[in-house]
Amino acid sequence: MADPVKNKMLKEEIITYAYLILYIALSSGQIFFNKWVLSSKEINFPYPLGLTLLHMAFSSVLCFLLTKVFKIMKVEEGMTMEIYTTSVIPIGAMFAMTLWLGNTAYLYISVAFAQMLKAIMPVAVFILGVAAGLEVMSCRMLLIMSVISFGVLVASYGEINISWIGVVYQMGGVVGEALRLIFMEILVKRKGLKLNPISLMYYVSPCSALCLFIPWIFLEKPKMEAHGTWNFQPVVLTLNSLCTFALNLSVFLVISHTSALTIRVAGVVKDWVVVLVSALLFADTKLTGINLFGYGIAIAGVAAYNNYKLKREASRRISDESQDAQAIPMSASSTPNR
């Protein structure tokens, strides 16, 4: 007779792996989809700002329908005007900047090289975190940051067809994402507000859409009008926007069923999948041994950074739990006898 406990555990493991595979597939597929839409002669939609604006507008509408009309999901409470103006608007603006510049980079550099440059992200996050007072400089972290930076430099040296314009756009996207993560940490630590991804998308997406709409009017709308008729393929672009929303939702599912370590390991696996598969899909991707060697060094540094962060978070959580445990008897002993 089958053990019901084992069957339940097996079922949960299968569901967890299914969510992880879904996240890796959607995350990798969305990168390839964006590259194809922006660069393909068949689609002919070389407007990264317009594409990103479409994603945010689609996400805003879908979040509103899911939370307010159909009420399938719930928006967490606790949002105030002060938090929105000091935290959500900066997060939305940086998110818009990240997506806009990151998608623009695909017009100039290969998907694989863009992914390699993204490995510098922990360095940018740490430097800005130190400046904001959220991180503390140490010899260990300095060594990890040096390893990541060296790996990215080696990978860049091995790039055959390097475009410095694309590098600047990608680095701008990295800085924007680092600032977004810093503002997110400030929102949680200093404001004390924790939002699930759906609630975050509900608040951030409209703000990001507005931040993208203003530059789109001046930078891309004239170009689109100059071509006479807009080459707008509704089916392809709607599917692209739907994939973006599904990716954000898959992140929510993975986090709710696994741990922070799992999502970070899955992210590293996804990065390698994107680098290797893009060499098969796109003609502009030509990997060299120096590319892969440098990227391997950078990924090793990223793994060390993730391990350090997770250990620190675990020790902080244990410390908080022990403080709470000590506070309970103290409060009990201070209660007067009746």
Side-chain angles (χ1 to χ4, degrees):
M1 187 174 179
D3 188 349
V5 176
K6 288 185 177 180
N7 288 339
K8 185 178 180 181
M9 291 176 63
L10 179 63
K11 185 178 179 181
E12 289 179 353
E13 285 182 5
I14 292 173
I15 292 173
T16 299
Y17 282 116
Y19 285 145
L20 285 171
I21 293 171
L22 178 66
Y23 162 72
I24 293 172
L26 284 172
S27 185
S28 306
Q30 185 61 38
I31 292 172
F32 299 143
F33 202 170
N34 286 349
K35 172 71 173 179
W36 180 65
V37 169
L38 293 168
S39 304
S40 171
K41 293 180 179 178
E42 292 82 10
I43 303 300
N44 191 25
F45 194 81
Y47 307 111
L49 186 51
L51 183 66
T52 311
L53 172 60
L54 187 65
H55 290 167
M56 291 298 98
F58 187 89
S59 178
S60 301
V61 173
L62 208 53
C63 281
F64 180 79
L65 291 174
L66 290 173
T67 57
K68 298 300 181 182
V69 178
F70 300 109
K71 296 184 179 179
I72 299 174
M73 298 173 179
K74 185 180 179 182
V75 177
E76 294 183 15
E77 298 178 352
M79 181 62 64
T80 64
M81 183 58 68
E82 188 268 337
I83 293 176
Y84 191 87
T85 53
T86 58
S87 296
V88 174
I89 290 178
I91 289 170
M94 292 304 103
F95 191 42
M97 173 182 167
T98 300
L99 297 176
W100 170 21
L101 297 181
N103 283 332
T104 304
Y106 291 143
L107 297 176
Y108 300 95
I109 59 178
S110 67
V111 169
F113 186 47
Q115 207 65 28
M116 292 177 187
L117 291 175
K118 285 181 184 178
I120 202 74
M121 179 71 69
V123 178
V125 172
F126 181 73
I127 291 173
L128 292 171
V130 171
L134 298 172
E135 298 282 358
V136 179
M137 182 64 73
S138 65
C139 293
R140 183 176 181 180
M141 287 304 295
L142 189 60
L143 177 62
I144 291 173
M145 297 301 111
S146 300
V147 169
I148 296 172
S149 301
F150 176 72
V152 172
L153 283 174
V154 172
S156 302
Y157 179 77
E159 182 66 12
I160 297 174
N161 301 315
I162 190 168
S163 168
W164 291 110
I165 297 176
V167 171
V168 170
Y169 275 121
Q170 188 61 53
M171 288 295 100
V174 167
V175 171
E177 177 65 6
L179 286 170
R180 185 186 74 87
L181 293 173
I182 293 297
F183 282 124
M184 286 283 295
E185 195 163 350
I186 291 172
L187 178 67
V188 173
K189 284 187 175 180
R190 297 183 181 174
K191 308 291 183 181
L193 183 63
K194 293 184 179 181
L195 299 173
N196 62 40
I198 292 297
S199 299
L200 195 61
M201 287 166 60
Y202 175 83
Y203 290 116
V204 170
S205 294
C207 179
S208 296
L210 181 61
C211 291
L212 292 164
F213 180 73
I214 295 171
W216 175 79
I217 292 175
F218 298 101
L219 298 178
E220 284 190 356
K221 186 171 179 287
K223 294 180 182 178
M224 297 173 76
E225 290 176 339
H227 286 82
T229 56
W230 290 4
N231 187 31
F232 189 89
Q233 299 195 23
V235 175
V236 173
L237 295 178
T238 301
L239 282 174
N240 184 260
S241 300
L242 189 60
C243 285
T244 302
F245 186 83
L247 171 60
N248 292 327
L249 191 61
S250 72
V251 173
F252 168 67
L253 292 172
V254 170
I255 291 174
S256 62
H257 284 81
T258 60
S259 63
L261 174 61
T262 307
I263 191 71
R264 286 174 177 173
V265 171
V268 172
V269 173
K270 181 265 297 181
D271 291 341
W272 276 107
V273 169
V274 170
V275 168
L276 298 176
V277 174
S278 63
L280 303 174
L281 295 179
F282 301 106
D284 65 345
T285 302
K286 293 179 176 62
L287 296 176
T288 65
I290 298 176
N291 272 148
L292 296 175
F293 177 68
Y295 188 53
I297 294 174
I299 287 298
V302 171
Y305 172 79
N306 288 339
N307 182 57
Y308 174 81
K309 291 284 287 184
L310 288 167
K311 283 184 176 179
R312 198 175 70 170
E313 289 170 6
S315 63
R316 186 188 297 129
R317 187 166 55 251
I318 292 171
S319 176
D320 292 341
E321 288 175 356
S322 63
Q323 288 177 3
D324 292 341
Q326 291 175 0
I328 292 172
M330 287 176 65
S331 60
S333 62
S334 62
T335 304
N337 295 324
R338 293 187 182 273

